[in-house]
Amino acid sequence: MGRFDRHGWLILFAGAALGLAGVMLAAWGNPENSGICVSCFIENSAGALGLHGNERMQYLRPELIGFLLGGTLSAALFREFRSRGGSAPLPRFVSGLFLIVGCAVFIGCPIKLVLRLTAGDWTAVAGMVGLVGGVWVGLRCLAAGVHFGSGHRQSGGSGLWLPALFLLFLGLLFWQPAFLALSSSGSGAQHAPMLISLGVGLTLGGLAQRSRFCITGSLRDLLLMGRRAPLGWGLAAFFVVALAANIGTGQFHSGYYGQPGSHLDALWSGIGMLLVGWVSVLIGGCPFRQLIKAGEGDADAGLAVLGMFAGGALVQAWGLAGTAAGVPLFGKVAVLCGLVFVLVSCLLFRERSCA
């Protein structure tokens, strides 16, 4: 493992905690293989707020609120909260939208991808191949001088607005006003006890803020540094703990057919996650990492989070998401549009002097 300092152990602990929580939340009531799925949670939450009309996908997920606010509390406690931003705001918003499109076609974010693999779902292998390929393409773009720019410190508390919005969501979660939609059937109706979910979300949000752990960031560092990458060891801890927990709780069912929350369209699973990996490298992290950065006061990541909510609404309202029956035509078109978007963005944001 080489040099492994206090931060390295923190990454290991964060990865292990994420793996254990992802399995246990499913055991406590979340959908099977979806104990933690940021894209699914965003689609559920967008439905709860009335942004789409799929009555089976409506629940304001406490974990999602906990991730962001846990990051905020941790950043404030360790004096790392900084309002910053101003770097390619609209491309980051659209990037967030297409992140969810890619995840929805695959059926799951990068965290759920690993959870599906550790539960024995072999259909997720194509998604992992696509995700690694997307991260590799993203790294090649960075090496060619593609860069969305760096955010700078901002006055006026711009970084406070996303945490404030999620505090409002927390109030709605406890108050549950009449306009908040809640599924009575389907995956939106499957959830762990609210306080447990919120507590787990806050804990993982704090750990992720301190460790900077995320799935695509781990793959990026592995491709760059090999086994010397601390984030890679965090990913390994996530995988091992989730595998052991799935076996221990009886949730490991090895096979290719009949897996929950999956389909057999391997080609589009791979292409969807290729889009997710490529975009994640360009904007500095997967959907989970965008939430944590937004909680730290990063307004650019906050725009990506708002874009993810827009994407969560669109994939359900327009029927773009993959289902057990496969990937719909318009879902495939949406993924191709996402690839065109990210390719054009790379051409426009390439700094030729760095090439």
Side-chain angles (χ1 to χ4, degrees), residues 212-295:
R212 277 63 174 173
F213 179 75
C214 91
I215 303 299
T216 54
S218 302
L219 294 173
R220 176 202 62 202
D221 285 7
L222 277 172
L223 290 173
L224 289 173
M225 303 166 61
R227 64 177 183 175
R228 293 179 293 115
L231 284 178
W233 287 100
L235 180 59
F238 180 8
F239 191 93
V240 171
V241 170
L243 178 63
N246 270 316
I247 294 173
T249 58
Q251 297 183 81
F252 182 85
H253 304 290
S254 177
Y256 190 78
Y257 300 98
Q259 294 288 346
S262 68
H263 55 71
L264 302 178
D265 202 336
L267 175 63
W268 286 97
S269 286
I271 294 175
M273 292 313 285
L274 184 146
L275 173 62
V276 172
W278 191 354
V279 171
S280 294
V281 170
L282 295 181
I283 64 173
C286 66
F288 179 67
R289 182 69 184 140
Q290 296 303 315
L291 285 169
I292 304 303
K293 288 168 64 178

Side-chain angles (χ1 to χ4, degrees), residues 54-330:
N54 186 343
E55 295 180 350
R56 297 171 59 84
M57 293 285 286
Q58 295 170 332
Y59 178 54
L60 191 54
R61 290 281 176 184
E63 299 91 342
L64 202 66
I65 298 169
F67 293 155
L68 191 140
L69 294 183
T72 302
L73 291 173
S74 175
L77 182 63
F78 292 95
R79 299 183 178 182
E80 292 182 346
F81 187 92
R82 302 281 187 280
S83 287
R84 58 190 186 275
S87 164
L90 194 54
R92 289 182 186 275
F93 177 88
V94 180
S95 295
L97 188 156
F98 281 119
L99 270 181
I100 300 303
V101 168
C103 291
V105 165
F106 167 71
I107 311 183
C109 72
I111 291 176
K112 179 174 174 177
L113 188 159
V114 179
L115 291 175
R116 282 174 53 178
L117 281 175
T118 56
D121 179 357
W122 304 130
T123 66
V125 172
M128 180 57 82
V129 171
L131 186 67
V132 173
V135 171
W136 182 82
V137 173
L139 283 173
R140 298 300 300 169
C141 291
L142 294 183
V146 176
H147 192 240
F148 277 6
S150 301
H152 53 272
R153 192 160 182 171
Q154 293 186 319
S155 59
S158 62
L160 291 171
W161 287 107
L162 248 293
L165 179 63
F166 274 64
L167 269 178
L168 174 63
F169 290 168
L170 182 61
L172 295 177
L173 185 66
F174 283 102
W175 180 25
Q176 298 200 351
F179 63 78
L180 194 69
L182 297 172
S183 296
S184 57
S185 63
S187 61
Q190 297 176 276
H191 54 81
M194 185 178 72
L195 291 180
I196 291 177
S197 297
L198 182 61
V200 168
L202 287 168
T203 303
L204 292 178
L207 283 171
Q209 193 279 325
R210 297 302 300 152
S211 65
R212 277 63 174 173
F213 179 75
C214 91
I215 303 299
T216 54
S218 302
L219 294 173
R220 176 202 62 202
D221 285 7
L222 277 172
L223 290 173
L224 289 173
M225 303 166 61
R227 64 177 183 175
R228 293 179 293 115
L231 284 178
W233 287 100
L235 180 59
F238 180 8
F239 191 93
V240 171
V241 170
L243 178 63
N246 270 316
I247 294 173
T249 58
Q251 297 183 81
F252 182 85
H253 304 290
S254 177
Y256 190 78
Y257 300 98
Q259 294 288 346
S262 68
H263 55 71
L264 302 178
D265 202 336
L267 175 63
W268 286 97
S269 286
I271 294 175
M273 292 313 285
L274 184 146
L275 173 62
V276 172
W278 191 354
V279 171
S280 294
V281 170
L282 295 181
I283 64 173
C286 66
F288 179 67
R289 182 69 184 140
Q290 296 303 315
L291 285 169
I292 304 303
K293 288 168 64 178
E296 295 173 334
D298 188 329
D300 291 334
L303 278 168
V305 170
L306 293 179
M308 291 194 294
F309 269 83
L314 287 181
V315 296
Q316 289 300 322
W318 292 358
L320 308 179
T323 66
V327 180
L329 174 62
F330 289 118

